[in-house]
Structures are given as C-alpha cells and as structure tokens.
Amino acid sequence: MTRRVLVASRNAKKLNELRRILDEAGIAGIEIVGLNDVAPYDEAPETGATFEENALAKARDGFAATGLPCVADDSGIAVDALNGMPGVLSARWAGKHGDDTANNILLLAQLNDVPDDRRGAQFVSACALVAEGVEEVVRGEWPGTIGRKPVGDGGFGYDPLFTPEGETRTSAELTPAEKDAASHRGRALRELLPTLAALADN
Amino acid sequence: MTRRVLVASRNAKKLNELRRILDEAGIAGIEIVGLNDVAPYDEAPETGATFEENALAKARDGFAATGLPCVADDSGIAVDALNGMPGVLSARWAGKHGDDTANNILLLAQLNDVPDDRRGAQFVSACALVAEGVEEVVRGEWPGTIGRKPVGDGGFGYDPLFTPEGETRTSAELTPAEKDAASHRGRALRELLPTLAALADN
C-alpha cells in the first residue's frame, strides 16, 4: 500500500522534483500530494529569521492540519557581499513578493561596484519533514557567483544571475535535469530520503 | 600657528561637525578644510567590503594628494534582520546613489514582515585619520530600532526610520545638537581627538 506524503506547496514543479528524486532512489510506496490536493488550512506567514525556521513551521502546519507526513522547503540566495542576504527575503527583495524581474534588477544594482572577486553567492534550501514522532530539517547549498546581467530563459528567481561553481552557463541556461542534479533543493531533498524510505516501509 | 587638517568631504555639515567637536574638546590650533578648499585629486571609488576599509582608503588618498593630515569617514546603517546590511551599500541600497527616499521605501518594504522584536539596527561610522607616520581607524555605533514609517524632517539618509535606544523620537526629530552628541559619527570623531590634539601640538 502507498503512503501519502504532503508537499506544502502549490508549485507542480516542486512536487514533481520530489517524485523524480524518490523514483531515482528506487523508493516506491509514496504518493506525493500538494496543497491543492488537501482541504485548505491556515498557513502561517513566512516570517522566520532563517530558512530552517520557515521550512519547519510550514511542515509542522501541514502535518498538524492534515495528519499526513509533510515536506516543506524555504529557499533563496545568499550573496557574500550582502552578508548572506537576500536570504529569507529573496522572493521579496525589491519589496513586492515574487517580482523576479524587480528582484534581479535591484540585486544587480546593489552589486554594481562589487568587484568580480567578491561576487560569490550560494543558493540555499532548507527542507523539513514532519510526521508522527519525526521532525527533521536539512540544508542544501549550491555555490556559485553573481554575474553582471541576466542570462538565460530557464528556471526562475535569481537563476539568470547565478553561475554555479564549475559552470560557464547560468542556472537559467541549464536543462531541468541538470538543475535537478545539482541544485540546492535537490541536495536537501536527497538528505531526507532515508527518513522518507522509512515512512514508506511502515 | 594653526595646523591645517583636511576632511575628505564636500559636505559642510561634516566639516562643521568636526569643528564643533574640536571646540568642545578645547583643541585649538587646527584649521579644518574640505575637498572644496584643496586642489582636485582623483578620489578612489568606495568599493571596500567594510566601513573601515573605505574610510582608510579615502584618508590615505587625501593625505597622499595634499600632504595634509586627512580625516575621512564612511557611514551607514546596519540592520540586524538584514545581517548588517545595507551597511557599506547604505547610500545606494535601492540602486541609485544618494536617493534617500527610494532607500527608505525599499528598507521598509524589505522589513514589512519582520516583527517588532527583530527590528534592531545600528548606525555605524568608521573614521580614519592619516598623517605622516599616523594611520588610525576608529568606529562609532549608535544602536536603535527601525520603525514602520518615516517620521521627522531633520537629518538625512535613514534618520526618519531610526529611533535611537532610549528615545521615543526618530533621529530625524532630534535637534542637530542632540544628534551630534549621540550619533555614530560624533562618537567616532571623538575617538580621534587625542591624535588630533597631538597633531595640533606639533
């Protein structure tokens, strides 16, 4: 029999990403459902000071509301020259939630005078898994640098500005499969596989 | 006889601030001049990672170009919830140098979901003094909190958003004398008094 696991997201890409990672790991017996597949519940605002805090709060909410094991993430970009910001404010850096273009323009302007050798950054994802008797929070990082103009049409968020370490392309130029294999969220989700496998076995 | 000291600034308020601080300390024999009073020279861009680095670079430039003992500052606001940013980028936080209104609007928007107990901030000033055989860099901090809307018409920069510790008014509501007595730059400049006094005696 299959075990339903809630991913606290309405983003089909995120649901499919976890499905692919479970498949690749050969973990059967888990059915991934999203927030659109369960009865609506009050979702706490993301006002934590850390990715981990936000991911854990979301996963606790989802488990408490549905009784299903719940996976939640909070992700963003940490820029060295901004002391790790935009960080938890990545999605609303320019002031309005989810305006990728404004966020990219602002970040480039802020870094205009920052020389090439100080343009390091990491994409960061914290993923939490909350189930009966389980609270796990893991972190994945994807190191790289911030360029001087947007390049590439794929991905979303800060992808057009970010060149992963060892790459010449931005993360907006990688194929989805390449991004999956390397990305911060993929790295974090794979850390949760042992616990997810144990849930599937129960 | 008087000793000329260059303040690496075109801002008359900054020049007068140091004049007042020298007067209050009873240090005579120093004539403060600004960048408008000396022959123009190439000023290095402020691209350092720290206030100290920028202040020292400016003071070295001024001394090298004029032979006068040179005082320079770099100042800004360090917001706890932004890991100490805007920091050295304070004057160009919204992307354009010196647009106080845009900077204030952006900072308030970024902190919109940050609760009252995490709105701490410090105004920070690093001041450097470079003269023959002298390189000194000092730091002054002025702790307080960031409000939820601009209040007050005085001061400049982030003053309308900043309520100093122990105050109910913002720093834009303080009188110039009150601000002088408490502010980050005043604190830093007073740290330089012993060295300035020694220069005056020579």
Side-chain angles (χ1 to χ4, degrees):
Chain A
M1 69 161 263
T2 58
R3 182 79 182 260
R4 295 174 85 211
V5 170
L6 173 65
V7 172
S9 171
R10 289 179 179 78
N11 182 333
K13 285 184 189 176
K14 284 193 186 181
L15 273 59
N16 284 330
E17 184 178 17
L18 183 51
R19 288 185 185 116
R20 280 194 305 271
I21 287 171
L22 291 167
D23 280 351
E24 282 163 18
I27 298 175
I30 287 185
E31 180 196 356
I32 298 297
V33 299
L35 287 177
N36 289 334
D37 305 311
V38 298
Y41 60 86
D42 276 347
E43 298 166 48
E46 290 180 40
T47 59
T50 63
F51 295 115
E52 283 80 355
E53 211 179 306
N54 285 330
L56 186 58
K58 268 196 275 189
R60 283 177 175 162
D61 276 0
F63 173 62
T66 65
L68 299 174
C70 182
V71 172
D73 84 297
D74 190 37
S75 305
I77 193 157
V79 175
D80 296 348
L82 301 181
N83 292 347
M85 301 307 294
V88 293
L89 302 180
S90 291
R92 51 193 147 152
W93 191 233
K96 198 180 123 196
H97 203 284
D99 189 339
D100 286 353
T101 304
N103 289 337
N104 280 337
I105 289 171
L106 176 61
L107 184 63
L108 285 176
Q110 290 172 325
L111 300 184
N112 190 53
D113 291 338
V114 174
D116 288 346
D117 62 350
R118 288 203 288 113
R119 297 181 74 90
Q122 296 78 44
F123 271 124
V124 178
S125 175
C127 289
L129 170 57
V130 174
E132 191 62 44
V134 174
E135 286 210 339
E136 187 173 2
V137 189
V138 296
R139 184 183 179 100
E141 301 196 356
W142 194 18
T145 56
I146 302 294
R148 296 197 173 269
K149 58 178 198 297
V151 178
D153 296 322
F156 62 96
Y158 298 91
D159 279 331
L161 306 187
F162 180 80
T163 302
E165 219 171 80
E167 263 296 334
T168 55
R169 297 169 296 172
T170 69
S171 48
E173 296 178 288
L174 300 184
T175 65
E178 286 173 324
K179 195 180 161 191
D180 266 15
S183 86
H184 50 309
R185 191 163 34 244
R187 289 176 199 211
L189 287 172
R190 277 185 283 271
E191 295 274 317
L192 293 178
L193 285 174
T195 311
L196 286 165
L199 286 173
D201 290 339
N202 283 334
Chain B
M1 70 163 261
T2 58
R3 182 79 181 262
R4 294 174 86 209
V5 170
L6 173 65
V7 173
S9 171
R10 289 179 178 79
N11 182 333
K13 285 185 187 174
K14 284 194 185 179
L15 273 58
N16 284 329
E17 184 179 19
L18 183 52
R19 289 186 184 115
R20 280 194 306 272
I21 286 171
L22 290 167
D23 280 351
E24 283 164 17
I27 298 173
I30 288 184
E31 180 196 355
I32 298 297
V33 299
L35 288 177
N36 290 334
D37 306 310
V38 297
Y41 60 86
D42 276 348
E43 298 166 46
E46 290 179 41
T47 58
T50 64
F51 296 114
E52 283 81 355
E53 211 179 306
N54 285 330
L56 187 58
K58 267 194 276 190
R60 283 177 175 162
D61 276 359
F63 173 63
T66 65
L68 299 175
C70 181
V71 173
D73 84 297
D74 190 38
S75 305
I77 194 158
V79 175
D80 296 347
L82 301 181
N83 293 347
M85 301 306 295
V88 293
L89 301 180
S90 291
R92 49 193 147 153
W93 191 232
K96 198 180 124 198
H97 202 284
D99 188 340
D100 287 354
T101 304
N103 289 337
N104 280 336
I105 288 171
L106 176 60
L107 184 63
L108 285 177
Q110 289 172 325
L111 300 184
N112 189 53
D113 291 337
V114 174
D116 287 346
D117 62 350
R118 288 204 290 114
R119 297 181 74 90
Q122 296 78 45
F123 270 125
V124 177
S125 176
C127 289
L129 170 56
V130 174
E132 192 61 45
V134 175
E135 287 209 339
E136 186 173 1
V137 189
V138 296
R139 184 183 179 98
E141 301 197 356
W142 194 16
T145 55
I146 303 294
R148 296 197 172 269
K149 58 177 198 296
V151 178
D153 297 321
F156 62 97
Y158 298 92
D159 279 331
L161 306 187
F162 180 79
T163 302
E165 220 171 79
E167 262 297 333
T168 54
R169 297 169 297 172
T170 69
S171 48
E173 295 178 289
L174 301 183
T175 66
E178 286 173 323
K179 196 180 160 191
D180 267 15
S183 85
H184 50 309
R185 190 163 35 243
R187 291 177 197 209
L189 287 172
R190 276 185 284 270
E191 296 275 317
L192 294 178
L193 285 174
T195 312
L196 286 165
L199 288 174
D201 288 341
N202 283 336

